[in-house]
Amino acid sequence: LAGRGIHMNLGRRRRIGLLGGSFDPVHMAHLALGQAAITALKLDQLVLIPAGHAWQKGGNQADGRHRLAMLRLAIASLPASTEASHWKIDEQEVNRNGPSYTIDTLKALREHYGPDDALILVLGSDQFRNLDTWHDWQHLLDYAHLAVTQRERVPLSDLPPDIEKLLAARGTGSLPDTPAGSIMFFRMPPVPLSATQLRKQLAAGQPVSGLLPIGVEAYIRRHGLYGTGTPEKGQD
C-alpha cells in the first residue's frame, strides 16, 4: 500500500502540499503559510515551487538560481520541531523555458507522484480571487485539491462569479481522502509581510531583521540583490 500512496500510519493516502510563488525573496510569511498548511491539512510533505518566468507579474527581480539558493537556506533555518525534512523544493518551473503555468506543473507532479497521492495546491486569497485569469484554470482540480487561506486584507467573500460557481460545486468543509477535486479553506495567523515591501526596504538600506529566514539577508547582500549594492568580490 505504501508504494501506492497510502500512508500506513494514518490509514489514508499521502498528502502532498504544493506551495508555489516567486519567492523573490523568500520571507517569514512564506514559512508561516507553509507551516500553517502542514498543520491544518495534516500534510506528509510540503513542496515549494519557485516560479520560472512569472508571466502575470512581468518577471522576477532575482535570477532563479538565487531564489533557489535562498529557499534552500530558508529550509535549512527551520527548527527541528517543524520537521524540516518534510519540506522540499521542486525546480521544474525555474528550469522550464517560457512562462510558468501551474496547470503544466500539476500535470508533471501528478505523473511523478502517481494517481493515488493527494496533491493539494495551497493558495492565498489573492491568488484564489484571480484564479479565473490563470491558464487552463478550469482543469486545475483534475490534478489537485485547492486549499485556500486569507492573505492580509484580501477577503474570501464576494468572489468573482466564475470562482463562486466553482466553489459552490467543489467546496468542502474538510479535505476528503481523495487524490484531487475539492476546494477547502484553512486559517493561518496574519503575517503582514510582502516581498515587494521587503525589496523596497532592502534597496533603501532599511533594516529587515526578523523578516527573512536566517542566512537569507546575508545572501542577498553578498550577491548585491534587490539594489543592496555590488556583489562581493568572487560572487557571481
Side-chain angles (χ1 to χ4, degrees), residues 37-230:
I38 288 172
T39 301
L41 307 173
K42 298 180 172 59
L43 300 180
D44 299 294
Q45 189 172 80
L46 179 70
V47 183
L48 304 177
I49 309 171
H53 174 67
W55 63 279
Q56 285 193 324
K57 293 186 177 182
N60 303 301
Q61 297 287 320
D63 186 79
R65 65 194 174 93
H66 288 309
R67 291 182 290 117
L68 283 170
M70 289 186 283
L71 276 176
R72 295 186 190 106
L73 288 170
I75 291 177
S77 77
L78 292 169
S81 60
T82 66
E83 300 185 70
S85 62
H86 291 180
W87 296 57
K88 66 172 291 188
I89 300 168
D90 185 285
E91 301 182 12
Q92 65 173 290
E93 291 196 3
V94 170
N95 295 329
R96 183 183 298 154
N97 292 323
S100 292
Y101 294 130
T102 299
I103 189 69
D104 296 332
T105 300
L106 291 182
K107 289 176 181 178
L109 288 170
R110 176 54 69 193
E111 183 174 351
H112 173 75
Y113 285 102
D116 295 318
D117 284 345
L119 300 184
I120 305 146
L121 183 63
V122 178
L123 301 176
S125 51
D126 53 339
Q127 296 169 307
F128 188 59
R129 292 190 71 87
N130 293 326
L131 198 68
D132 58 354
T133 69
W134 291 22
H135 178 68
D136 205 12
W137 67 277
Q138 300 93 333
H139 292 104
L140 295 173
L141 290 171
D142 294 344
Y143 302 95
H145 299 290
L146 303 184
V148 185
T149 190
Q150 183 162 335
R151 185 176 185 270
E152 298 170 16
R153 297 191 179 96
V154 181
L156 284 167
S157 58
D158 299 320
L159 296 166
D162 284 345
I163 305 304
E164 287 279 16
K165 184 177 179 180
L166 182 68
L167 183 59
R170 299 293 192 98
T172 181
S174 60
L175 194 66
D177 191 27
T178 56
S182 296
I183 304 171
M184 67 162 293
F185 297 138
F186 70 98
R187 294 181 181 274
M188 69 167 287
V191 183
L193 183 60
S194 76
T196 300
Q197 182 59 38
L198 272 172
R199 291 195 298 268
K200 290 179 180 178
Q201 290 179 231
L202 286 162
Q206 297 172 354
V208 292
S209 178
L211 305 180
L212 296 166
I214 295 171
V216 171
E217 181 180 0
Y219 182 93
I220 288 170
R221 298 192 184 284
R222 187 164 67 249
H223 290 271
L225 304 179
Y226 311 121
T228 57
T230 304

